[in-house]
mmCIF file with all atom_site columns, all heavy atoms in Angstrom:
data_model
loop_
_atom_site.group_PDB
_atom_site.id
_atom_site.type_symbol
_atom_site.label_atom_id
_atom_site.label_alt_id
_atom_site.label_comp_id
_atom_site.label_asym_id
_atom_site.label_entity_id
_atom_site.label_seq_id
_atom_site.pdbx_PDB_ins_code
_atom_site.Cartn_x
_atom_site.Cartn_y
_atom_site.Cartn_z
_atom_site.occupancy
_atom_site.B_iso_or_equiv
_atom_site.pdbx_formal_charge
_atom_site.auth_seq_id
_atom_site.auth_comp_id
_atom_site.auth_asym_id
_atom_site.auth_atom_id
_atom_site.pdbx_PDB_model_num
ATOM 1   N N   . ALA F 1 56 ? 121.042 111.039 108.556 1.00 39.00 ? 203 ALA F N   1
ATOM 2   C CA  . ALA F 1 56 ? 122.306 111.752 108.377 1.00 39.00 ? 203 ALA F CA  1
ATOM 3   C C   . ALA F 1 56 ? 122.198 112.939 107.420 1.00 39.00 ? 203 ALA F C   1
ATOM 4   O O   . ALA F 1 56 ? 123.196 113.524 107.058 1.00 39.00 ? 203 ALA F O   1
ATOM 5   C CB  . ALA F 1 56 ? 123.376 110.788 107.869 1.00 39.00 ? 203 ALA F CB  1
ATOM 6   N N   . GLN F 1 57 ? 120.983 113.291 106.991 1.00 42.00 ? 204 GLN F N   1
ATOM 7   C CA  . GLN F 1 57 ? 120.830 114.384 106.050 1.00 42.00 ? 204 GLN F CA  1
ATOM 8   C C   . GLN F 1 57 ? 119.691 115.280 106.518 1.00 42.00 ? 204 GLN F C   1
ATOM 9   O O   . GLN F 1 57 ? 118.813 114.871 107.259 1.00 42.00 ? 204 GLN F O   1
ATOM 10  C CB  . GLN F 1 57 ? 120.528 113.852 104.637 1.00 42.00 ? 204 GLN F CB  1
ATOM 11  C CG  . GLN F 1 57 ? 121.633 112.964 104.082 1.00 42.00 ? 204 GLN F CG  1
ATOM 12  C CD  . GLN F 1 57 ? 121.216 112.337 102.761 1.00 42.00 ? 204 GLN F CD  1
ATOM 13  O OE1 . GLN F 1 57 ? 120.101 112.543 102.296 1.00 42.00 ? 204 GLN F OE1 1
ATOM 14  N NE2 . GLN F 1 57 ? 122.111 111.592 102.160 1.00 42.00 ? 204 GLN F NE2 1
ATOM 15  N N   . ASN F 1 58 ? 119.712 116.526 106.044 1.00 41.00 ? 205 ASN F N   1
ATOM 16  C CA  . ASN F 1 58 ? 118.654 117.462 106.404 1.00 41.00 ? 205 ASN F CA  1
ATOM 17  C C   . ASN F 1 58 ? 117.425 117.301 105.529 1.00 41.00 ? 205 ASN F C   1
ATOM 18  O O   . ASN F 1 58 ? 116.328 117.676 105.917 1.00 41.00 ? 205 ASN F O   1
ATOM 19  C CB  . ASN F 1 58 ? 119.172 118.907 106.311 1.00 41.00 ? 205 ASN F CB  1
ATOM 20  C CG  . ASN F 1 58 ? 120.217 119.192 107.373 1.00 41.00 ? 205 ASN F CG  1
ATOM 21  O OD1 . ASN F 1 58 ? 120.129 118.671 108.473 1.00 41.00 ? 205 ASN F OD1 1
ATOM 22  N ND2 . ASN F 1 58 ? 121.199 120.010 107.049 1.00 41.00 ? 205 ASN F ND2 1
ATOM 23  N N   . ASN F 1 59 ? 117.595 116.802 104.308 1.00 57.00 ? 206 ASN F N   1
ATOM 24  C CA  . ASN F 1 59 ? 116.483 116.664 103.378 1.00 57.00 ? 206 ASN F CA  1
ATOM 25  C C   . ASN F 1 59 ? 115.925 115.251 103.435 1.00 57.00 ? 206 ASN F C   1
ATOM 26  O O   . ASN F 1 59 ? 116.652 114.290 103.686 1.00 57.00 ? 206 ASN F O   1
ATOM 27  C CB  . ASN F 1 59 ? 116.942 116.983 101.949 1.00 57.00 ? 206 ASN F CB  1
ATOM 28  C CG  . ASN F 1 59 ? 117.406 118.419 101.821 1.00 57.00 ? 206 ASN F CG  1
ATOM 29  O OD1 . ASN F 1 59 ? 116.832 119.319 102.439 1.00 57.00 ? 206 ASN F OD1 1
ATOM 30  N ND2 . ASN F 1 59 ? 118.455 118.639 101.053 1.00 57.00 ? 206 ASN F ND2 1
ATOM 31  N N   . SER F 1 60 ? 114.633 115.123 103.175 1.00 70.00 ? 207 SER F N   1
ATOM 32  C CA  . SER F 1 60 ? 113.985 113.825 103.242 1.00 70.00 ? 207 SER F CA  1
ATOM 33  C C   . SER F 1 60 ? 114.497 112.900 102.149 1.00 70.00 ? 207 SER F C   1
ATOM 34  O O   . SER F 1 60 ? 114.650 113.294 101.004 1.00 70.00 ? 207 SER F O   1
ATOM 35  C CB  . SER F 1 60 ? 112.474 113.997 103.103 1.00 70.00 ? 207 SER F CB  1
ATOM 36  O OG  . SER F 1 60 ? 111.850 112.736 103.065 1.00 70.00 ? 207 SER F OG  1
ATOM 37  N N   . VAL F 1 61 ? 114.757 111.642 102.524 1.00 77.00 ? 208 VAL F N   1
ATOM 38  C CA  . VAL F 1 61 ? 115.126 110.634 101.545 1.00 77.00 ? 208 VAL F CA  1
ATOM 39  C C   . VAL F 1 61 ? 113.928 110.302 100.668 1.00 77.00 ? 208 VAL F C   1
ATOM 40  O O   . VAL F 1 61 ? 114.059 110.055 99.474  1.00 77.00 ? 208 VAL F O   1
ATOM 41  C CB  . VAL F 1 61 ? 115.651 109.367 102.255 1.00 77.00 ? 208 VAL F CB  1
ATOM 42  C CG1 . VAL F 1 61 ? 115.876 108.228 101.255 1.00 77.00 ? 208 VAL F CG1 1
ATOM 43  C CG2 . VAL F 1 61 ? 116.950 109.674 102.978 1.00 77.00 ? 208 VAL F CG2 1
ATOM 44  N N   . LEU F 1 62 ? 112.744 110.293 101.266 1.00 85.00 ? 209 LEU F N   1
ATOM 45  C CA  . LEU F 1 62 ? 111.535 109.935 100.532 1.00 85.00 ? 209 LEU F CA  1
ATOM 46  C C   . LEU F 1 62 ? 111.048 111.129 99.726  1.00 85.00 ? 209 LEU F C   1
ATOM 47  O O   . LEU F 1 62 ? 110.046 111.766 100.038 1.00 85.00 ? 209 LEU F O   1
ATOM 48  C CB  . LEU F 1 62 ? 110.442 109.452 101.497 1.00 85.00 ? 209 LEU F CB  1
ATOM 49  C CG  . LEU F 1 62 ? 109.241 108.788 100.823 1.00 85.00 ? 209 LEU F CG  1
ATOM 50  C CD1 . LEU F 1 62 ? 109.663 107.495 100.138 1.00 85.00 ? 209 LEU F CD1 1
ATOM 51  C CD2 . LEU F 1 62 ? 108.151 108.504 101.841 1.00 85.00 ? 209 LEU F CD2 1
ATOM 52  N N   . SER F 1 63 ? 111.799 111.452 98.682  1.00 89.00 ? 210 SER F N   1
ATOM 53  C CA  . SER F 1 63 ? 111.475 112.572 97.798  1.00 89.00 ? 210 SER F CA  1
ATOM 54  C C   . SER F 1 63 ? 112.175 112.352 96.473  1.00 89.00 ? 210 SER F C   1
ATOM 55  O O   . SER F 1 63 ? 113.102 111.533 96.376  1.00 89.00 ? 210 SER F O   1
ATOM 56  C CB  . SER F 1 63 ? 111.952 113.896 98.415  1.00 89.00 ? 210 SER F CB  1
ATOM 57  O OG  . SER F 1 63 ? 113.370 113.919 98.513  1.00 89.00 ? 210 SER F OG  1
ATOM 58  N N   . ILE F 1 64 ? 111.733 113.080 95.443  1.00 91.00 ? 211 ILE F N   1
ATOM 59  C CA  . ILE F 1 64 ? 112.390 112.981 94.142  1.00 91.00 ? 211 ILE F CA  1
ATOM 60  C C   . ILE F 1 64 ? 113.851 113.392 94.259  1.00 91.00 ? 211 ILE F C   1
ATOM 61  O O   . ILE F 1 64 ? 114.743 112.764 93.683  1.00 91.00 ? 211 ILE F O   1
ATOM 62  C CB  . ILE F 1 64 ? 111.652 113.853 93.106  1.00 91.00 ? 211 ILE F CB  1
ATOM 63  C CG1 . ILE F 1 64 ? 110.252 113.276 92.837  1.00 91.00 ? 211 ILE F CG1 1
ATOM 64  C CG2 . ILE F 1 64 ? 112.446 113.929 91.799  1.00 91.00 ? 211 ILE F CG2 1
ATOM 65  C CD1 . ILE F 1 64 ? 109.394 114.096 91.916  1.00 91.00 ? 211 ILE F CD1 1
ATOM 66  N N   . GLU F 1 65 ? 114.111 114.436 95.046  1.00 92.00 ? 212 GLU F N   1
ATOM 67  C CA  . GLU F 1 65 ? 115.491 114.895 95.236  1.00 92.00 ? 212 GLU F CA  1
ATOM 68  C C   . GLU F 1 65 ? 116.324 113.832 95.948  1.00 92.00 ? 212 GLU F C   1
ATOM 69  O O   . GLU F 1 65 ? 117.502 113.648 95.632  1.00 92.00 ? 212 GLU F O   1
ATOM 70  C CB  . GLU F 1 65 ? 115.508 116.194 96.042  1.00 92.00 ? 212 GLU F CB  1
ATOM 71  C CG  . GLU F 1 65 ? 114.921 117.399 95.322  1.00 92.00 ? 212 GLU F CG  1
ATOM 72  C CD  . GLU F 1 65 ? 113.399 117.391 95.264  1.00 92.00 ? 212 GLU F CD  1
ATOM 73  O OE1 . GLU F 1 65 ? 112.776 116.592 96.018  1.00 92.00 ? 212 GLU F OE1 1
ATOM 74  O OE2 . GLU F 1 65 ? 112.839 118.153 94.470  1.00 92.00 ? 212 GLU F OE2 1
ATOM 75  N N   . GLY F 1 66 ? 115.701 113.132 96.918  1.00 91.00 ? 213 GLY F N   1
ATOM 76  C CA  . GLY F 1 66 ? 116.407 112.054 97.606  1.00 91.00 ? 213 GLY F CA  1
ATOM 77  C C   . GLY F 1 66 ? 116.799 110.939 96.642  1.00 91.00 ? 213 GLY F C   1
ATOM 78  O O   . GLY F 1 66 ? 117.906 110.399 96.721  1.00 91.00 ? 213 GLY F O   1
ATOM 79  N N   . GLY F 1 67 ? 115.899 110.600 95.734  1.00 93.00 ? 214 GLY F N   1
ATOM 80  C CA  . GLY F 1 67 ? 116.208 109.593 94.725  1.00 93.00 ? 214 GLY F CA  1
ATOM 81  C C   . GLY F 1 67 ? 117.312 110.047 93.791  1.00 93.00 ? 214 GLY F C   1
ATOM 82  O O   . GLY F 1 67 ? 118.182 109.253 93.403  1.00 93.00 ? 214 GLY F O   1
ATOM 83  N N   . GLN F 1 68 ? 117.284 111.323 93.429  1.00 94.00 ? 215 GLN F N   1
ATOM 84  C CA  . GLN F 1 68 ? 118.317 111.860 92.544  1.00 94.00 ? 215 GLN F CA  1
ATOM 85  C C   . GLN F 1 68 ? 119.688 111.814 93.202  1.00 94.00 ? 215 GLN F C   1
ATOM 86  O O   . GLN F 1 68 ? 120.690 111.525 92.544  1.00 94.00 ? 215 GLN F O   1
ATOM 87  C CB  . GLN F 1 68 ? 117.958 113.293 92.141  1.00 94.00 ? 215 GLN F CB  1
ATOM 88  C CG  . GLN F 1 68 ? 116.781 113.373 91.178  1.00 94.00 ? 215 GLN F CG  1
ATOM 89  C CD  . GLN F 1 68 ? 116.307 114.801 90.944  1.00 94.00 ? 215 GLN F CD  1
ATOM 90  O OE1 . GLN F 1 68 ? 116.578 115.701 91.736  1.00 94.00 ? 215 GLN F OE1 1
ATOM 91  N NE2 . GLN F 1 68 ? 115.598 115.001 89.838  1.00 94.00 ? 215 GLN F NE2 1
ATOM 92  N N   . ARG F 1 69 ? 119.741 112.098 94.509  1.00 94.00 ? 216 ARG F N   1
ATOM 93  C CA  . ARG F 1 69 ? 121.020 112.022 95.223  1.00 94.00 ? 216 ARG F CA  1
ATOM 94  C C   . ARG F 1 69 ? 121.573 110.597 95.191  1.00 94.00 ? 216 ARG F C   1
ATOM 95  O O   . ARG F 1 69 ? 122.776 110.384 94.996  1.00 94.00 ? 216 ARG F O   1
ATOM 96  C CB  . ARG F 1 69 ? 120.852 112.498 96.669  1.00 94.00 ? 216 ARG F CB  1
ATOM 97  C CG  . ARG F 1 69 ? 120.732 114.000 96.813  1.00 94.00 ? 216 ARG F CG  1
ATOM 98  C CD  . ARG F 1 69 ? 120.947 114.412 98.277  1.00 94.00 ? 216 ARG F CD  1
ATOM 99  N NE  . ARG F 1 69 ? 120.002 113.783 99.182  1.00 94.00 ? 216 ARG F NE  1
ATOM 100 C CZ  . ARG F 1 69 ? 118.802 114.277 99.456  1.00 94.00 ? 216 ARG F CZ  1
ATOM 101 N NH1 . ARG F 1 69 ? 118.385 115.399 98.894  1.00 94.00 ? 216 ARG F NH1 1
ATOM 102 N NH2 . ARG F 1 69 ? 118.002 113.656 100.303 1.00 94.00 ? 216 ARG F NH2 1
ATOM 103 N N   . LEU F 1 70 ? 120.689 109.625 95.392  1.00 95.00 ? 217 LEU F N   1
ATOM 104 C CA  . LEU F 1 70 ? 121.123 108.238 95.354  1.00 95.00 ? 217 LEU F CA  1
ATOM 105 C C   . LEU F 1 70 ? 121.630 107.862 93.956  1.00 95.00 ? 217 LEU F C   1
ATOM 106 O O   . LEU F 1 70 ? 122.617 107.121 93.830  1.00 95.00 ? 217 LEU F O   1
ATOM 107 C CB  . LEU F 1 70 ? 119.969 107.323 95.759  1.00 95.00 ? 217 LEU F CB  1
ATOM 108 C CG  . LEU F 1 70 ? 119.576 107.376 97.235  1.00 95.00 ? 217 LEU F CG  1
ATOM 109 C CD1 . LEU F 1 70 ? 118.237 106.666 97.468  1.00 95.00 ? 217 LEU F CD1 1
ATOM 110 C CD2 . LEU F 1 70 ? 120.655 106.751 98.111  1.00 95.00 ? 217 LEU F CD2 1
ATOM 111 N N   . MET F 1 71 ? 120.974 108.367 92.914  1.00 96.00 ? 218 MET F N   1
ATOM 112 C CA  . MET F 1 71 ? 121.419 108.103 91.545  1.00 96.00 ? 218 MET F CA  1
ATOM 113 C C   . MET F 1 71 ? 122.792 108.712 91.297  1.00 96.00 ? 218 MET F C   1
ATOM 114 O O   . MET F 1 71 ? 123.653 108.094 90.639  1.00 96.00 ? 218 MET F O   1
ATOM 115 C CB  . MET F 1 71 ? 120.396 108.642 90.545  1.00 96.00 ? 218 MET F CB  1
ATOM 116 C CG  . MET F 1 71 ? 119.066 107.906 90.540  1.00 96.00 ? 218 MET F CG  1
ATOM 117 S SD  . MET F 1 71 ? 119.190 106.212 89.903  1.00 96.00 ? 218 MET F SD  1
ATOM 118 C CE  . MET F 1 71 ? 119.452 106.544 88.152  1.00 96.00 ? 218 MET F CE  1
ATOM 119 N N   . GLN F 1 72 ? 123.010 109.919 91.786  1.00 95.00 ? 219 GLN F N   1
ATOM 120 C CA  . GLN F 1 72 ? 124.309 110.567 91.631  1.00 95.00 ? 219 GLN F CA  1
ATOM 121 C C   . GLN F 1 72 ? 125.404 109.779 92.347  1.00 95.00 ? 219 GLN F C   1
ATOM 122 O O   . GLN F 1 72 ? 126.504 109.601 91.822  1.00 95.00 ? 219 GLN F O   1
ATOM 123 C CB  . GLN F 1 72 ? 124.248 111.999 92.154  1.00 95.00 ? 219 GLN F CB  1
ATOM 124 C CG  . GLN F 1 72 ? 123.416 112.940 91.295  1.00 95.00 ? 219 GLN F CG  1
ATOM 125 C CD  . GLN F 1 72 ? 123.172 114.287 91.966  1.00 95.00 ? 219 GLN F CD  1
ATOM 126 O OE1 . GLN F 1 72 ? 123.596 114.527 93.091  1.00 95.00 ? 219 GLN F OE1 1
ATOM 127 N NE2 . GLN F 1 72 ? 122.479 115.170 91.265  1.00 95.00 ? 219 GLN F NE2 1
#
Side-chain angles (χ1 to χ4, degrees):
Q204 299 173 358
N205 292 325
N206 297 323
S207 176
V208 173
L209 192 65
S210 65
I211 293 176
E212 292 76 14
Q215 289 172 340
R216 285 195 302 273
L217 289 168
M218 292 292 288
Q219 290 170 358

